[in-house]
Amino acid sequence: MYNFAAVTLLVSIGALEVAGYTMEPLIVTQFIVDLVQTKETVVFACSKEDLVFNSLNLMKHNQFVNPIHINSSYSLMSVLTRENYARAAVIVNTECEGSSRLLREASVGRYFNKTYQWLLWGIGQNIDDLLPLELDYVGPNAQLTYVNRTVDGYCLWDIHSKGRQLKSSLEVHLIAMLGNNQNKLLTFQNIFELQSIKYRSQFNGLVLRGASVIDQEDIVTNEQIEAILSRHTKDAGVAAFIKYHYELLSLLRDRFNFTVNFRNSRGWAGRLGNTTFRLGLLGIIMRNEADIAASGAFNRINRFAEFDTIHQSWKFETAFLFRFTPDLDTHGKSGNFLAPFSGQVWFFTLATLLVINIIWFLLEYINKRWQGGRRKPSLCRSSWTERSLHTFGAVCQQGMEPIPSDVPSRSVVVTIFLFSVVMYNYYTSSVVGGLLSSSDQGPATVDQIISSPLKISFEDIGYYKVLFRESSSPVVTRLIKRKLSSSRGPSEMGVYGHIEDAIPYLKSGGFAFHCEVVDAYPIIAELFDANEICDLREVSGLMEVEIMNWIVHKNSQYTELFRTAMCNAREAGLIERILRQRQMKKPTCQSLYTVYPVSISGVTSAFFTLLSGILLALLALGVEILWFKWRKL
């Protein structure tokens, strides 16, 4: 299909008389049609011959052509847009005066990438002068073909660098040649293989700029950073995912044969006042001051426009870790004397026993009246008291003496004993089962942690300080007000601390430590005994559980290269092996059951019942004394 707008432009520029070298249409056509096989071509030239003949030849091969006079007014961003085909070719006659400006704009706009196949017509020009160090985006992802002429004919060269921002030299490989007496390109190497990771994975010891986050003072040299990140054990101020991504970076170093000069940052993110200037690791990467980072970054919507993601695998998971003790029972039923029955059941039981007492007394009264017996008032009062004590003794399975002789009373007694067996057995089994059970997990949410008597500390690392300073969450506000604002004694752990220092407090109970759980599990498995491991609880929710992004600068020249390498490492199982080493599972509880001692809150109701009985006895004694004195008057 012909581009009619392009034909109109060709007619209009036909009147321009601009001197310049003419590009060979045969080379341009065969490069587009046979070598790179694109469907759209943008031609930048300064002579009507280059624009007319090359465009017409390409359109004969069903190419969509956009011819642009290189010295005209145009915007490269408007020419190379999302509306282009997925793969497009860009032809530039570098003999034109405006070509250096065009190449400079292409480097700044990061157009030397996998989307565009560039053909630089550079007859009579040195490649180092054509692509100086100032054009720093001629990286391993560049698809640049340079054309020059020798005594034997035209030569097409693949051009790329491992990093012009690092003063890396240009690498040149011969693709094809058109002899003086030939009408077809002689291909020596497949252009797509030359531009693939297979041929561009050798960095020859190039030193890349690295960045990491170590929240410690006086960590400034590369040797210090490498020594900390290479240790397998936990280091203060270093998150678990930092060392994980350092190991992934080591895979890339071995694969591509480069080294890294690290730059340390105390934090991941931040802003300088009310400006848009980013601080921390993200600021370093966004300003393209680092080529690779030994750290992951959290998922945020506003970051997708500023960074490229090359890998995702680390599950960032933090939680409050604490040891469960009976006083942390959130339901108030751990060993509680009244816990097997609810308040309604206790009330209904007492009402039932009262009704039984009344029925028993009425049965006995009717039976005696039927037999013609009469009771004195004092005898009635004594009989009522006796029947109440008999009923209470039967419920407590203490027997009954004397046993009633009449059939109605014996029927009531049998019913009371049957009721006692059922209720007593259920009550005792519930109490014993509750004491032997470890089903109660204690606080299960962050709000319950805040309301509990637990003392709270956090790992001394930067993202907690950012959370407390910037978060507007009501949960965080309550946490700061209730748990972190009060002063702490010399025997208590501070608000921030290290995992090793928190272990004794965790073992003794009454203390919760918030950290990345995979950092705590190895130390807990080593220092906790079997029962303490079974008592270990964790509560997440303060920070989101998410998969972290390994990021580079937006449109980095290493994005596709590193992303492909990480996909290969995942398929080979290398990522899974490192994850198994770095993400240790929670230690398994190997105890059959745990018997928790009854807390004072659990037996309060029993002592209250005893105290009520004593007060009732004293009250009854006082009533009897008063009654006796009144009778003597």
Side-chain angles (χ1 to χ4, degrees):
M1 176 182 292
Y2 289 86
N3 184 351
F4 294 102
V7 174
T8 303
L9 179 60
L10 289 174
V11 174
S12 63
I13 65 175
L16 294 174
E17 295 295 335
V18 182
Y21 290 88
T22 302
M23 295 184 290
E24 176 59 49
L26 180 61
I27 294 179
V28 173
T29 303
Q30 292 194 19
F31 172 79
I32 299 297
V33 177
D34 298 331
L35 286 184
V36 298
Q37 301 174 4
T38 59
K39 293 299 182 181
E40 180 178 359
T41 305
V42 181
V43 181
F44 288 96
C46 55
S47 69
K48 64 179 181 180
E49 290 86 357
D50 288 342
L51 292 172
V52 173
F53 293 121
N54 286 294
S55 299
L56 291 177
N57 283 338
L58 290 172
M59 286 190 287
K60 289 178 183 178
H61 292 84
N62 296 323
Q63 285 286 316
F64 185 89
V65 183
N66 184 10
I68 300 175
H69 196 282
I70 203 168
N71 291 325
S72 64
S73 178
Y74 66 89
S75 171
L76 189 61
M77 186 178 297
S78 301
V79 175
L80 304 180
T81 67
R82 296 177 181 269
E83 297 179 0
N84 294 107
Y85 278 87
R87 292 177 61 247
V90 182
I91 313 299
V92 180
N93 187 349
T94 62
E95 292 297 316
C96 300
E97 293 181 359
S99 62
S100 59
R101 176 179 63 88
L102 170 63
L103 296 179
R104 185 168 57 253
E105 290 180 2
S107 175
V108 173
R110 299 183 175 269
Y111 289 108
F112 298 139
N113 54 42
K114 292 295 184 181
T115 303
Y116 303 102
Q117 286 281 356
W118 290 76
L119 180 66
L120 305 181
W121 191 269
I123 304 301
Q125 295 196 50
N126 184 280
I127 186 62
D128 291 314
D129 296 332
L130 186 63
L131 299 173
L133 287 174
E134 289 75 20
L135 304 182
D136 58 1
Y137 196 70
V138 186
N141 66 328
Q143 298 184 139
L144 287 171
T145 302
Y146 166 70
V147 180
N148 70 343
R149 187 168 187 176
T150 65
V151 294
D152 298 323
Y154 293 95
C155 296
L156 280 72
W157 306 87
D158 174 67
I159 306 293
H160 79 278
S161 169
K162 296 306 188 299
R164 298 294 276 175
Q165 79 280 7
L166 305 173
K167 313 301 181 184
S168 177
S169 60
L170 295 173
E171 299 184 24
V172 182
H173 300 278
L174 182 63
I175 302 173
M177 181 177 180
L178 180 66
N180 293 326
N181 299 319
Q182 296 176 344
N183 58 4
K184 187 173 180 59
L185 285 175
L186 177 62
T187 303
F188 297 100
Q189 296 188 76
N190 186 292
I191 189 172
F192 297 115
E193 290 187 2
L194 283 174
Q195 296 172 351
S196 67
I197 188 175
K198 177 181 178 182
Y199 283 89
R200 298 192 175 182
S201 60
Q202 178 53 257
F203 280 46
N204 297 313
L206 183 67
V207 181
L208 268 62
R209 302 167 300 172
S212 186
V213 178
I214 300 176
D215 195 5
Q216 297 181 20
E217 295 182 358
D218 302 326
I219 304 297
V220 293
T221 66
N222 185 68
E223 291 74 16
Q224 290 175 313
I225 298 173
E226 291 269 10
I228 293 174
L229 298 184
S230 59
R231 281 197 292 267
H232 188 76
T233 55
K234 170 69 177 175
D235 281 276
V238 183
F241 60 85
I242 293 286
K243 293 195 173 184
Y244 169 74
H245 286 94
Y246 176 79
E247 289 201 45
L248 296 187
L249 194 151
S250 298
L251 292 180
L252 294 181
R253 288 197 295 193
D254 296 339
R255 172 71 183 274
F256 296 104
N257 187 23
F258 63 79
T259 58
V260 180
N261 185 24
F262 283 103
R263 170 183 176 181
N264 187 44
S265 174
R266 292 290 298 271
W268 285 266
R271 299 282 185 181
L272 184 60
N274 295 325
T275 67
T276 59
F277 186 84
R278 276 192 181 273
L279 301 173
L281 177 78
L282 296 183
I284 294 173
I285 298 177
M286 190 192 72
R287 294 187 296 273
N288 199 21
E289 298 173 1
D291 304 304
I292 188 70
S295 173
F298 297 127
N299 284 301
R300 300 293 183 268
I301 294 178
N302 63 344
R303 295 178 182 177
F304 290 108
E306 301 173 341
F307 307 99
D308 282 340
T309 299
I310 60 176
H311 183 66
Q312 291 179 317
S313 60
W314 182 266
K315 182 181 179 182
F316 178 76
E317 186 176 7
T318 60
F320 286 103
L321 299 176
F322 63 94
R323 184 182 174 191
F324 173 73
T325 52
D327 60 305
L328 296 177
D329 178 20
T330 56
H331 303 290
K333 296 182 179 180
S334 177
N336 194 325
F337 176 72
L338 300 175
F341 296 151
S342 66
Q344 293 179 341
V345 174
W346 284 112
F347 177 79
F348 188 76
T349 300
L350 293 176
T352 302
L353 295 178
L354 180 61
V355 171
I356 290 175
N357 267 339
I358 295 173
I359 293 174
W360 192 358
F361 180 77
L362 290 176
L363 289 175
E364 191 174 76
Y365 177 78
I366 294 172
N367 186 43
K368 289 185 177 182
R369 288 293 299 269
W370 181 262
Q371 295 177 359
R374 294 176 178 268
R375 291 188 177 182
K376 296 180 180 180
S378 60
L379 182 60
C380 293
R381 186 178 67 255
S382 177
S383 177
W384 174 263
T385 305
E386 289 178 1
R387 294 296 170 257
S388 298
L389 292 176
H390 285 163
T391 302
F392 185 77
V395 170
C396 296
Q397 294 189 343
Q398 299 301 310
M400 185 175 293
E401 180 65 30
I403 298 176
S405 58
D406 56 291
V407 175
S409 296
R410 288 190 174 190
S411 300
V412 172
V413 169
V414 171
T415 304
I416 294 175
F417 275 113
L418 182 60
F419 172 82
S420 173
V421 169
V422 174
M423 298 295 286
Y424 183 80
N425 286 340
Y426 180 81
Y427 179 86
T428 54
S429 61
S430 297
V431 171
V432 174
L435 293 176
L436 295 178
S437 174
S438 58
S439 59
D440 198 330
Q441 302 297 311
T445 64
V446 176
D447 282 326
Q448 291 179 359
I449 288 283
I450 297 173
S451 303
S452 71
L454 289 169
K455 296 288 185 179
I456 294 177
S457 294
F458 295 83
E459 185 180 2
D460 190 6
I461 203 163
Y463 47 74
Y464 288 119
K465 301 166 187 175
V466 174
L467 174 69
F468 298 145
R469 184 175 63 250
E470 299 182 358
S471 177
S472 57
S473 169
V475 175
V476 176
T477 304
R478 288 196 300 271
L479 176 65
I480 296 175
K481 181 179 180 180
R482 298 185 184 181
K483 293 294 186 180
L484 307 182
S485 299
S486 59
S487 60
R488 305 195 176 196
S491 62
E492 297 178 329
M493 189 172 181
V495 175
Y496 298 107
H498 303 303
I499 295 177
E500 295 84 355
D501 301 330
I503 292 299
Y505 296 93
L506 287 175
K507 288 171 67 71
S508 61
F511 174 81
F513 190 70
H514 198 279
C515 63
E516 197 170 357
V517 292
V518 295
D519 271 337
Y521 287 158
I523 305 176
I524 289 174
E526 180 180 357
L527 300 179
F528 275 41
D529 60 30
N531 290 331
E532 291 169 342
I533 290 176
C534 293
D535 294 341
L536 185 66
R537 305 288 188 266
E538 60 182 59
V539 174
S540 58
L542 183 63
M543 301 184 71
E544 294 181 3
V545 177
E546 56 182 293
I547 303 298
M548 304 200 73
N549 293 336
W550 194 15
I551 59 174
V552 293
H553 181 68
K554 190 66 178 179
N555 295 324
S556 169
Q557 51 195 310
Y558 304 111
T559 297
E560 295 299 328
L561 206 65
F562 290 165
R563 187 180 290 168
T564 303
M566 294 315 301
C567 289
N568 294 338
R570 183 187 292 273
E571 293 171 355
L574 298 177
I575 304 296
E576 184 65 25
R577 179 176 63 85
I578 298 176
L579 280 174
R580 284 199 302 267
Q581 294 174 347
R582 285 290 175 184
Q583 288 189 328
M584 182 177 177
K585 302 299 181 183
K586 181 179 179 180
T588 305
C589 173
Q590 298 180 352
S591 179
L592 295 179
Y593 55 84
T594 302
V595 178
Y596 295 110
V598 179
S599 63
I600 187 63
S601 61
V603 298
T604 301
S605 54
F607 285 104
F608 179 77
T609 302
L610 178 61
L611 179 61
S612 300
I614 295 173
L615 294 176
L616 183 61
L618 293 176
L619 179 61
L621 176 60
V623 171
E624 288 186 355
I625 292 174
L626 293 175
W627 176 258
F628 179 76
K629 290 183 176 180
W630 182 76
R631 289 279 307 270
K632 294 180 66 176
L633 293 177

